[in-house]
């Protein structure tokens, strides 16, 4: 099975930087995704890491350490519209055709 | 707009009833996934289809069933509904369903069982 842990809630100020951590335990790690979900809406893809290191995409970056079972999503220059839930999802090759298992998400509140 | 269409957007029904949720994937996507999202459990994988065939099964109850039709749309059938089945049900699609691709999610069906 898999175990994915993320903080439940975080708060930050507009213009600041926030780091959302995700730790996971899985026997057949085969990739990690981050999704953003605004309240009542569908999750949307943010980033994908399969090798160790940092992937940068505009204001968002995602880091992976496979040996530590750890990832983080870094959001820079926070905007009010970044208030959302951020879901960490892990792919496990032992789940057959590599289905995704999602964490419960981190609710980020950006204040003025 | 992700290109994935789910209907209905809201569904209110009573315990013991049966409902059908419908999903049309993005044009060109062969794989469809169903997820259930509740406040306490987060996004839970139910089942995946690829080109009409079941590919992977997650935490799907025996009261629930799904299928993918030749035109690639999918339906999730929920029967003998219980209060605890109240949740947001998402459909997602991807091109090949290998798991190496990002998923495109529909806007979901909010099911309320009263």
């Amino acid at each position: 099975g898999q175990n994915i842990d993320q903080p439940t809630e975080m708060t930050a100020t507009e213009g600041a930087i926030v780091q959302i951590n995700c730790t996971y335990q899985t026997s057949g790690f085969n990739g990690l995704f981050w999704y953003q979900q605004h309240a009542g809406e569908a999750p949307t893809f943010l980033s994908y890491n399969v090798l160790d290191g940092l992937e940068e995409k505009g204001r968002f970056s995602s880091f992976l350490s496979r040996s530590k079972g750890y990832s983080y999503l870094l959001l820079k220059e926070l905007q009010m519209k970044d208030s959302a839930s951020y879901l960490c999802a892990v792919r496990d090759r032992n789940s057959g055709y590599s289905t995704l298992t999602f964490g419960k998400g981190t609710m980020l509140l950006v204040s003025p | 707009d992700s290109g994935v269409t789910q209907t209905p957007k809201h569904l209110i029904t009573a315990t013991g009833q049966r409902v059908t949720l419908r999903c049309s994937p993005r044009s060109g996507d062969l794989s469809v996934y169903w997820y259930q999202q509740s406040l306490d459990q987060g996004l839970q994988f139910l089942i995946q289809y690829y080109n009409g065939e079941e590919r992977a099964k997650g935490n799907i109850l025996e009261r629930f069933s799904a299928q993918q039709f030749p035109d690639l749309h999918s339906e999730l059938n929920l029967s003998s509904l219980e209060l605890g089945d109240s949740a947001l049900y998402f459909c997602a699609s991807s091109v090949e369903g290998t798991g190496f691709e990002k998923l495109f999610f529909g806007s979901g069906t909010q099911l309320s069982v009263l």
Side-chain angles (χ1 to χ4, degrees), chain B residues 65-109:
Chain B
S65 65
Q67 54 183 325
Q68 186 180 26
F69 295 87
D71 68 353
L72 301 178
H73 91 271
S74 177
E75 293 181 356
L76 178 67
N77 300 297
L78 315 176
S79 60
S80 303
L81 285 167
E82 301 175 359
L83 296 177
D85 297 327
S86 296
L88 191 51
Y89 290 84
F90 284 107
C91 168
S93 72
S94 68
V95 177
E96 297 180 354
T98 62
F100 292 90
E101 320 147 290
K102 60 184 178 182
L103 302 182
F104 293 87
F105 284 82
S107 56
T109 294

Short mmCIF file of all heavy atoms in Angstrom, two decimals, chain B residues 65-109:
data_model
loop_
_atom_site.label_atom_id
_atom_site.label_comp_id
_atom_site.label_asym_id
_atom_site.label_seq_id
_atom_site.Cartn_x
_atom_site.Cartn_y
_atom_site.Cartn_z
N SER B 65 -20.44 -0.02 -9.96
CA SER B 65 -19.91 -0.65 -11.16
C SER B 65 -19.72 0.42 -12.22
O SER B 65 -20.29 1.52 -12.13
CB SER B 65 -20.85 -1.74 -11.68
OG SER B 65 -22.08 -1.16 -12.09
N ALA B 66 -18.91 0.12 -13.19
CA ALA B 66 -18.65 1.10 -14.24
C ALA B 66 -18.44 0.37 -15.56
O ALA B 66 -18.23 -0.85 -15.59
CB ALA B 66 -17.42 1.95 -13.91
N GLN B 67 -18.52 1.11 -16.63
CA GLN B 67 -18.17 0.57 -17.93
C GLN B 67 -17.77 1.69 -18.87
O GLN B 67 -18.13 2.85 -18.63
CB GLN B 67 -19.31 -0.26 -18.53
CG GLN B 67 -20.63 0.45 -18.63
CD GLN B 67 -21.72 -0.48 -19.17
OE1 GLN B 67 -21.47 -1.34 -20.02
NE2 GLN B 67 -22.93 -0.34 -18.69
N GLN B 68 -17.03 1.31 -19.89
CA GLN B 68 -16.66 2.27 -20.92
C GLN B 68 -17.19 1.73 -22.24
O GLN B 68 -16.94 0.58 -22.61
CB GLN B 68 -15.14 2.46 -21.01
CG GLN B 68 -14.74 3.56 -21.98
CD GLN B 68 -13.23 3.75 -22.06
OE1 GLN B 68 -12.45 2.84 -21.80
NE2 GLN B 68 -12.81 4.96 -22.42
N PHE B 69 -17.89 2.56 -22.94
CA PHE B 69 -18.59 2.16 -24.16
C PHE B 69 -17.71 2.33 -25.40
O PHE B 69 -16.66 2.98 -25.32
CB PHE B 69 -19.88 2.97 -24.28
CG PHE B 69 -20.86 2.68 -23.18
CD1 PHE B 69 -20.81 3.36 -21.97
CD2 PHE B 69 -21.84 1.71 -23.34
CE1 PHE B 69 -21.70 3.08 -20.95
CE2 PHE B 69 -22.75 1.42 -22.32
CZ PHE B 69 -22.67 2.11 -21.12
N PRO B 70 -18.13 1.74 -26.54
CA PRO B 70 -17.33 1.85 -27.76
C PRO B 70 -17.02 3.29 -28.18
O PRO B 70 -15.98 3.54 -28.78
CB PRO B 70 -18.19 1.13 -28.81
CG PRO B 70 -18.93 0.12 -28.02
CD PRO B 70 -19.25 0.79 -26.69
N ASP B 71 -17.92 4.22 -27.85
CA ASP B 71 -17.61 5.63 -28.20
C ASP B 71 -16.72 6.28 -27.14
O ASP B 71 -16.47 7.48 -27.21
CB ASP B 71 -18.90 6.43 -28.39
CG ASP B 71 -19.68 6.61 -27.08
OD1 ASP B 71 -19.28 6.00 -26.06
OD2 ASP B 71 -20.66 7.37 -27.08
N LEU B 72 -16.25 5.51 -26.19
CA LEU B 72 -15.30 5.87 -25.13
C LEU B 72 -15.91 6.64 -23.96
O LEU B 72 -15.19 6.88 -22.98
CB LEU B 72 -14.10 6.64 -25.69
CG LEU B 72 -13.30 5.89 -26.75
CD1 LEU B 72 -12.17 6.76 -27.29
CD2 LEU B 72 -12.75 4.59 -26.19
N HIS B 73 -17.19 6.96 -24.02
CA HIS B 73 -17.76 7.56 -22.84
C HIS B 73 -17.90 6.49 -21.76
O HIS B 73 -17.91 5.28 -22.06
CB HIS B 73 -19.08 8.27 -23.14
CG HIS B 73 -20.31 7.43 -22.97
ND1 HIS B 73 -20.84 6.66 -23.99
CD2 HIS B 73 -21.12 7.25 -21.89
CE1 HIS B 73 -21.93 6.06 -23.56
NE2 HIS B 73 -22.12 6.38 -22.29
N SER B 74 -17.98 6.92 -20.52
CA SER B 74 -18.03 5.97 -19.42
C SER B 74 -19.19 6.32 -18.50
O SER B 74 -19.62 7.47 -18.42
CB SER B 74 -16.72 6.02 -18.63
OG SER B 74 -16.76 5.14 -17.51
N GLU B 75 -19.69 5.30 -17.83
CA GLU B 75 -20.74 5.49 -16.84
C GLU B 75 -20.35 4.80 -15.54
O GLU B 75 -19.79 3.69 -15.57
CB GLU B 75 -22.08 4.95 -17.35
CG GLU B 75 -22.63 5.74 -18.51
CD GLU B 75 -23.97 5.22 -19.01
OE1 GLU B 75 -24.45 4.19 -18.50
OE2 GLU B 75 -24.54 5.84 -19.92
N LEU B 76 -20.65 5.46 -14.45
CA LEU B 76 -20.43 4.89 -13.12
C LEU B 76 -21.79 4.70 -12.49
O LEU B 76 -22.56 5.65 -12.37
CB LEU B 76 -19.57 5.84 -12.27
CG LEU B 76 -19.28 5.41 -10.84
CD1 LEU B 76 -18.39 4.16 -10.81
CD2 LEU B 76 -18.62 6.54 -10.05
N ASN B 77 -22.11 3.47 -12.16
CA ASN B 77 -23.40 3.13 -11.57
C ASN B 77 -23.22 2.89 -10.07
O ASN B 77 -22.38 2.09 -9.65
CB ASN B 77 -23.96 1.86 -12.22
CG ASN B 77 -24.16 2.04 -13.70
OD1 ASN B 77 -24.96 2.86 -14.13
ND2 ASN B 77 -23.43 1.28 -14.51
N LEU B 78 -24.02 3.58 -9.30
CA LEU B 78 -23.98 3.45 -7.84
C LEU B 78 -25.34 2.95 -7.39
O LEU B 78 -26.36 3.59 -7.67
CB LEU B 78 -23.67 4.81 -7.19
CG LEU B 78 -22.54 5.65 -7.81
CD1 LEU B 78 -22.44 7.00 -7.11
CD2 LEU B 78 -21.23 4.91 -7.75
N SER B 79 -25.37 1.83 -6.70
CA SER B 79 -26.66 1.26 -6.30
C SER B 79 -26.74 1.09 -4.79
O SER B 79 -25.72 1.19 -4.08
CB SER B 79 -26.88 -0.09 -6.99
OG SER B 79 -25.87 -1.00 -6.62
N SER B 80 -27.95 0.83 -4.32
CA SER B 80 -28.21 0.67 -2.88
C SER B 80 -27.50 1.77 -2.09
O SER B 80 -26.76 1.51 -1.15
CB SER B 80 -27.73 -0.71 -2.40
OG SER B 80 -28.34 -1.74 -3.13
N LEU B 81 -27.76 2.98 -2.52
CA LEU B 81 -27.02 4.11 -1.99
C LEU B 81 -27.19 4.28 -0.48
O LEU B 81 -28.27 4.07 0.07
CB LEU B 81 -27.43 5.39 -2.71
CG LEU B 81 -26.85 5.53 -4.12
CD1 LEU B 81 -27.53 6.65 -4.88
CD2 LEU B 81 -25.35 5.75 -4.07
N GLU B 82 -26.08 4.68 0.14
CA GLU B 82 -26.06 4.94 1.58
C GLU B 82 -25.66 6.40 1.80
O GLU B 82 -25.10 7.04 0.91
CB GLU B 82 -25.06 4.00 2.26
CG GLU B 82 -25.35 2.53 2.04
CD GLU B 82 -24.27 1.63 2.62
OE1 GLU B 82 -23.29 2.15 3.18
OE2 GLU B 82 -24.44 0.39 2.52
N LEU B 83 -25.95 6.88 3.01
CA LEU B 83 -25.61 8.27 3.32
C LEU B 83 -24.12 8.54 3.07
O LEU B 83 -23.74 9.61 2.59
CB LEU B 83 -25.96 8.58 4.77
CG LEU B 83 -27.43 8.53 5.15
CD1 LEU B 83 -27.61 8.79 6.64
CD2 LEU B 83 -28.25 9.52 4.34
N GLY B 84 -23.30 7.57 3.39
CA GLY B 84 -21.85 7.73 3.25
C GLY B 84 -21.35 7.81 1.83
O GLY B 84 -20.17 8.09 1.60
N ASP B 85 -22.24 7.54 0.88
CA ASP B 85 -21.84 7.64 -0.52
C ASP B 85 -21.89 9.09 -1.02
O ASP B 85 -21.45 9.38 -2.14
CB ASP B 85 -22.74 6.78 -1.40
CG ASP B 85 -22.64 5.30 -1.06
OD1 ASP B 85 -21.54 4.85 -0.67
OD2 ASP B 85 -23.67 4.60 -1.18
N SER B 86 -22.43 9.97 -0.21
CA SER B 86 -22.46 11.38 -0.58
C SER B 86 -21.03 11.88 -0.74
O SER B 86 -20.22 11.78 0.18
CB SER B 86 -23.17 12.20 0.50
OG SER B 86 -24.53 11.81 0.60
N ALA B 87 -20.73 12.40 -1.91
CA ALA B 87 -19.37 12.82 -2.22
C ALA B 87 -19.37 13.50 -3.57
O ALA B 87 -20.38 13.53 -4.27
CB ALA B 87 -18.42 11.62 -2.24
N LEU B 88 -18.20 14.00 -3.93
CA LEU B 88 -17.97 14.55 -5.26
C LEU B 88 -17.29 13.46 -6.08
O LEU B 88 -16.26 12.91 -5.67
CB LEU B 88 -17.09 15.79 -5.15
CG LEU B 88 -16.90 16.71 -6.34
CD1 LEU B 88 -18.22 17.13 -6.95
CD2 LEU B 88 -16.10 17.93 -5.93
N TYR B 89 -17.88 13.11 -7.21
CA TYR B 89 -17.33 12.06 -8.06
C TYR B 89 -16.72 12.69 -9.29
O TYR B 89 -17.40 13.38 -10.06
CB TYR B 89 -18.42 11.04 -8.44
CG TYR B 89 -18.86 10.22 -7.26
CD1 TYR B 89 -19.82 10.71 -6.37
CD2 TYR B 89 -18.30 8.97 -7.00
CE1 TYR B 89 -20.20 9.97 -5.26
CE2 TYR B 89 -18.67 8.23 -5.90
CZ TYR B 89 -19.62 8.74 -5.03
OH TYR B 89 -20.00 8.01 -3.92
N PHE B 90 -15.43 12.44 -9.47
CA PHE B 90 -14.71 12.99 -10.61
C PHE B 90 -14.41 11.90 -11.62
O PHE B 90 -14.05 10.78 -11.27
CB PHE B 90 -13.39 13.63 -10.18
CG PHE B 90 -13.52 14.95 -9.52
CD1 PHE B 90 -13.32 15.09 -8.16
CD2 PHE B 90 -13.82 16.09 -10.27
CE1 PHE B 90 -13.43 16.32 -7.54
CE2 PHE B 90 -13.94 17.33 -9.66
CZ PHE B 90 -13.74 17.45 -8.29
N CYS B 91 -14.49 12.29 -12.86
CA CYS B 91 -14.00 11.49 -13.95
C CYS B 91 -12.76 12.20 -14.49
O CYS B 91 -12.70 13.44 -14.52
CB CYS B 91 -15.08 11.38 -15.03
SG CYS B 91 -14.52 10.72 -16.59
N ALA B 92 -11.76 11.44 -14.90
CA ALA B 92 -10.57 12.01 -15.52
C ALA B 92 -10.24 11.18 -16.76
O ALA B 92 -10.66 10.02 -16.87
CB ALA B 92 -9.40 12.01 -14.55
N SER B 93 -9.50 11.78 -17.67
CA SER B 93 -9.10 11.01 -18.85
C SER B 93 -7.63 11.29 -19.18
O SER B 93 -7.05 12.29 -18.75
CB SER B 93 -9.99 11.32 -20.05
OG SER B 93 -9.74 12.60 -20.58
N SER B 94 -7.05 10.37 -19.90
CA SER B 94 -5.70 10.54 -20.43
C SER B 94 -5.61 9.79 -21.74
O SER B 94 -6.47 8.97 -22.06
CB SER B 94 -4.64 10.03 -19.43
OG SER B 94 -4.71 8.62 -19.29
N VAL B 95 -4.54 10.04 -22.45
CA VAL B 95 -4.44 9.50 -23.81
C VAL B 95 -4.32 7.98 -23.79
O VAL B 95 -5.12 7.26 -24.40
CB VAL B 95 -3.24 10.11 -24.56
CG1 VAL B 95 -3.12 9.47 -25.94
CG2 VAL B 95 -3.40 11.61 -24.69
N GLU B 96 -3.32 7.46 -23.06
CA GLU B 96 -3.03 6.03 -23.13
C GLU B 96 -3.27 5.29 -21.82
O GLU B 96 -3.27 4.07 -21.81
CB GLU B 96 -1.57 5.83 -23.55
CG GLU B 96 -1.27 6.36 -24.94
CD GLU B 96 0.19 6.15 -25.32
OE1 GLU B 96 0.97 5.71 -24.46
OE2 GLU B 96 0.53 6.45 -26.48
N GLY B 97 -3.43 6.02 -20.73
CA GLY B 97 -3.71 5.35 -19.47
C GLY B 97 -2.54 4.59 -18.89
O GLY B 97 -2.71 3.63 -18.16
N THR B 98 -1.32 5.04 -19.22
CA THR B 98 -0.15 4.35 -18.71
C THR B 98 0.22 4.79 -17.30
O THR B 98 0.99 4.14 -16.64
CB THR B 98 1.08 4.63 -19.59
OG1 THR B 98 1.35 6.05 -19.55
CG2 THR B 98 0.84 4.20 -21.01
N GLY B 99 -0.30 5.93 -16.88
CA GLY B 99 0.07 6.47 -15.58
C GLY B 99 1.21 7.44 -15.66
O GLY B 99 1.52 8.14 -14.71
N PHE B 100 1.88 7.51 -16.84
CA PHE B 100 2.96 8.46 -17.01
C PHE B 100 2.45 9.81 -17.50
O PHE B 100 3.21 10.73 -17.68
CB PHE B 100 3.99 7.91 -18.00
CG PHE B 100 4.74 6.72 -17.49
CD1 PHE B 100 4.27 5.45 -17.73
CD2 PHE B 100 5.91 6.87 -16.77
CE1 PHE B 100 4.95 4.34 -17.25
CE2 PHE B 100 6.59 5.78 -16.29
CZ PHE B 100 6.11 4.50 -16.53
N GLU B 101 1.15 9.87 -17.73
CA GLU B 101 0.59 11.10 -18.29
C GLU B 101 -0.17 11.85 -17.21
O GLU B 101 -0.65 11.25 -16.26
CB GLU B 101 -0.40 10.76 -19.40
CG GLU B 101 0.03 9.63 -20.29
CD GLU B 101 -1.15 8.84 -20.78
OE1 GLU B 101 -1.79 8.13 -19.96
OE2 GLU B 101 -1.46 8.94 -21.97
N LYS B 102 -0.32 13.16 -17.41
CA LYS B 102 -1.16 13.90 -16.50
C LYS B 102 -2.61 13.59 -16.81
O LYS B 102 -2.97 13.25 -17.93
CB LYS B 102 -0.90 15.39 -16.62
CG LYS B 102 -1.14 16.00 -17.98
CD LYS B 102 -0.73 17.47 -17.94
CE LYS B 102 -0.90 18.11 -19.31
NZ LYS B 102 -0.46 19.53 -19.30
N LEU B 103 -3.43 13.70 -15.79
CA LEU B 103 -4.86 13.45 -15.93
C LEU B 103 -5.59 14.77 -16.13
O LEU B 103 -5.24 15.79 -15.55
CB LEU B 103 -5.40 12.76 -14.67
CG LEU B 103 -4.77 11.44 -14.27
CD1 LEU B 103 -5.46 10.89 -13.02
CD2 LEU B 103 -4.85 10.43 -15.40
N PHE B 104 -6.63 14.71 -16.94
CA PHE B 104 -7.51 15.85 -17.14
C PHE B 104 -8.84 15.51 -16.47
O PHE B 104 -9.47 14.52 -16.84
CB PHE B 104 -7.69 16.13 -18.62
CG PHE B 104 -6.43 16.62 -19.29
CD1 PHE B 104 -5.52 15.71 -19.80
CD2 PHE B 104 -6.16 17.97 -19.38
CE1 PHE B 104 -4.35 16.14 -20.41
CE2 PHE B 104 -4.99 18.41 -19.99
CZ PHE B 104 -4.08 17.50 -20.51
N PHE B 105 -9.21 16.32 -15.50
CA PHE B 105 -10.40 16.03 -14.71
C PHE B 105 -11.61 16.80 -15.21
O PHE B 105 -11.51 17.95 -15.63
CB PHE B 105 -10.18 16.42 -13.23
CG PHE B 105 -9.33 15.46 -12.47
CD1 PHE B 105 -7.94 15.53 -12.54
CD2 PHE B 105 -9.91 14.48 -11.68
CE1 PHE B 105 -7.15 14.64 -11.83
CE2 PHE B 105 -9.11 13.59 -10.96
CZ PHE B 105 -7.74 13.66 -11.04
N GLY B 106 -12.76 16.15 -15.14
CA GLY B 106 -14.02 16.83 -15.37
C GLY B 106 -14.39 17.65 -14.14
O GLY B 106 -13.70 17.61 -13.11
N SER B 107 -15.48 18.38 -14.24
CA SER B 107 -15.87 19.28 -13.16
C SER B 107 -16.60 18.56 -12.03
O SER B 107 -16.91 19.17 -11.01
CB SER B 107 -16.74 20.42 -13.70
OG SER B 107 -17.85 19.88 -14.39
N GLY B 108 -16.87 17.28 -12.21
CA GLY B 108 -17.40 16.48 -11.12
C GLY B 108 -18.91 16.44 -11.04
O GLY B 108 -19.62 17.30 -11.59
N THR B 109 -19.40 15.41 -10.37
CA THR B 109 -20.82 15.28 -10.03
C THR B 109 -20.92 15.25 -8.51
O THR B 109 -20.32 14.39 -7.87
CB THR B 109 -21.43 13.99 -10.60
OG1 THR B 109 -21.43 14.04 -12.02
CG2 THR B 109 -22.86 13.79 -10.10
#
